[in-house]
Amino acid sequence: MSATPAAAPAVADCHNDLLLGCQHRRERGASDPFGDDWLPGLRAGGVVFQVLPIFTEAQFLGEGALRRTLEIIELAREIAALHSGDVGIVETAGDIDEIIGDGRIALLLALEGAEPVGSSLAMLETMWRLGVRMASLTWNRRTMLADGVGETDTGGRLTSLGVEAVAEMERLGMVVDVSHLSAHGLAHLAEVAAEPFVASHSSCRALCDHPRNLTDDELRLVAGAGGFIAVNAVGRFVAASGTPTIDQYVDHMEHAVAVVGAEAVAIGADFGADLIEQVDPILGRQLLLAPEDVIHIEELKAPADFALLARRLVDRFGPERAARIAAGNVLDFLRARLPA
């Protein structure tokens, strides 16, 4: 008798900009873009936990960043209220198991870049009070706290304010995210951080030489601090040429596992196909990619595709390690880091 195939593991995804897509659709008259566009796919993909970053678009830089962020946080709260039987927002460690145990999807709010903070670190506590539990100091551009990876010529480390921001985030219990941070900034953060930090959506530079990807030494910095690396599925971060495949995506996971161990690797898909369509085609040009290089992995470009990825993880790593990579590492990290 043949063995019963292992069940596909549940998925915890550390980066999906769906709130931005929902905000744009809502502003154009859609009444329930989350329920129409995203919830069915999350369910089909076996997602039990989803980080929801709040990204500041270029037209809202400056004082508009805070207002836009508040609007999107309010949208997230409206989504959670409208779909209370399907999702819940995580603020404490206990929320994770309560929400998932109820058969719902646990949502965690994050900042992708510190533009809403500006030069006022008091805004970090404001964000914390509003439910934000993870934040990065930068997106690709410069903020008051640090340089993003797009500022390759500055050699910038964290600013003095950025060092203070890291300490304040650690005091609050907010997880520091290093995806998009410049190489010098990441090295500096590793020097000053007293708590674990994570890379929420970064692939491996050894397999694809793109500035958004992390070198092996950077992978070790993150894992050595007690954090995890959630691997990014943007096509040109996975393969520099040709048509990127889901197996090449798993290759990045396999490489990261070889460098830092299976307990420090996770999923941070950063799906863009639906988002670019819902928001604006020009959004794709901001990824440090030429427009013609904004290519998606056909088998892995939306949340429903996690079902296939989960099976590939079992095939490549076996059921136990696949379950750790697919969700266990992220959930255990947050159970240990978030307030009780």
Side-chain angles (χ1 to χ4, degrees), residues 118-186:
S119 61
S120 175
L121 297 190
M123 289 299 98
L124 288 171
E125 183 147 9
T126 298
M127 292 295 111
W128 178 265
R129 292 177 187 273
L130 293 173
V132 173
R133 293 295 180 262
M134 180 184 293
S136 57
L137 303 181
T138 70
W139 185 63
N140 292 336
R141 54 196 166 224
R142 172 176 290 178
T143 69
M144 298 292 286
L145 308 184
D147 280 355
V149 72
E151 299 287 347
T152 55
D153 295 330
T154 66
R157 288 155 51 93
L158 306 188
T159 64
S160 58
L161 188 67
V163 173
E164 293 179 36
V166 171
E168 175 64 1
M169 291 170 68
E170 291 179 340
R171 182 190 72 81
L172 292 168
M174 189 178 292
V175 177
V176 179
D177 178 9
V178 303
S179 287
H180 287 287
L181 185 59
S182 71
H184 290 287
L186 173 52

Side-chain angles (χ1 to χ4, degrees), residues 94-319:
D95 289 340
I96 296 172
D97 291 324
E98 179 180 344
I99 293 169
I100 295 175
D102 288 342
R104 296 181 292 156
I105 301 169
L107 307 176
L108 186 136
L109 300 180
L111 297 182
E112 186 172 16
E115 287 85 355
V117 175
S119 61
S120 175
L121 297 190
M123 289 299 98
L124 288 171
E125 183 147 9
T126 298
M127 292 295 111
W128 178 265
R129 292 177 187 273
L130 293 173
V132 173
R133 293 295 180 262
M134 180 184 293
S136 57
L137 303 181
T138 70
W139 185 63
N140 292 336
R141 54 196 166 224
R142 172 176 290 178
T143 69
M144 298 292 286
L145 308 184
D147 280 355
V149 72
E151 299 287 347
T152 55
D153 295 330
T154 66
R157 288 155 51 93
L158 306 188
T159 64
S160 58
L161 188 67
V163 173
E164 293 179 36
V166 171
E168 175 64 1
M169 291 170 68
E170 291 179 340
R171 182 190 72 81
L172 292 168
M174 189 178 292
V175 177
V176 179
D177 178 9
V178 303
S179 287
H180 287 287
L181 185 59
S182 71
H184 290 287
L186 173 52
H188 191 189
L189 187 143
E191 293 173 8
V192 303
E195 301 291 346
F197 48 87
V198 307
S200 69
H201 57 306
S202 296
S203 297
C204 299
R205 195 77 169 262
L207 298 188
C208 182
D209 188 14
H210 190 280
R212 269 288 286 112
N213 292 345
L214 299 179
T215 67
D216 287 0
D217 285 343
E218 290 169 336
L219 297 177
R220 294 185 186 100
L221 278 181
V222 176
F228 59 80
I229 301 94
V231 178
N232 193 312
V234 170
R236 279 295 170 252
F237 301 164
V238 171
S241 61
T243 302
T245 68
I246 191 171
D247 289 318
Q248 287 176 303
Y249 175 74
V250 179
D251 288 345
H252 279 258
M253 290 184 158
E254 189 167 51
H255 179 82
V257 166
V259 174
V260 299
E263 68 281 358
V265 180
I267 296 170
D270 197 10
F271 292 130
D274 291 342
L275 185 70
I276 289 171
E277 180 178 335
Q278 291 174 13
V279 177
D280 194 322
I282 200 171
L283 182 67
R285 301 181 187 179
Q286 302 179 33
L287 301 172
L288 299 182
L289 294 169
E292 63 271 16
D293 282 335
V294 180
I295 295 172
H296 309 288
I297 299 173
E298 284 302 316
E299 291 180 302
L300 187 61
K301 64 179 184 180
D305 298 330
F306 281 137
L308 174 60
L309 174 64
R311 295 194 295 273
R312 294 295 176 87
L313 293 180
V314 171
D315 292 342
R316 188 79 67 98
F317 298 105

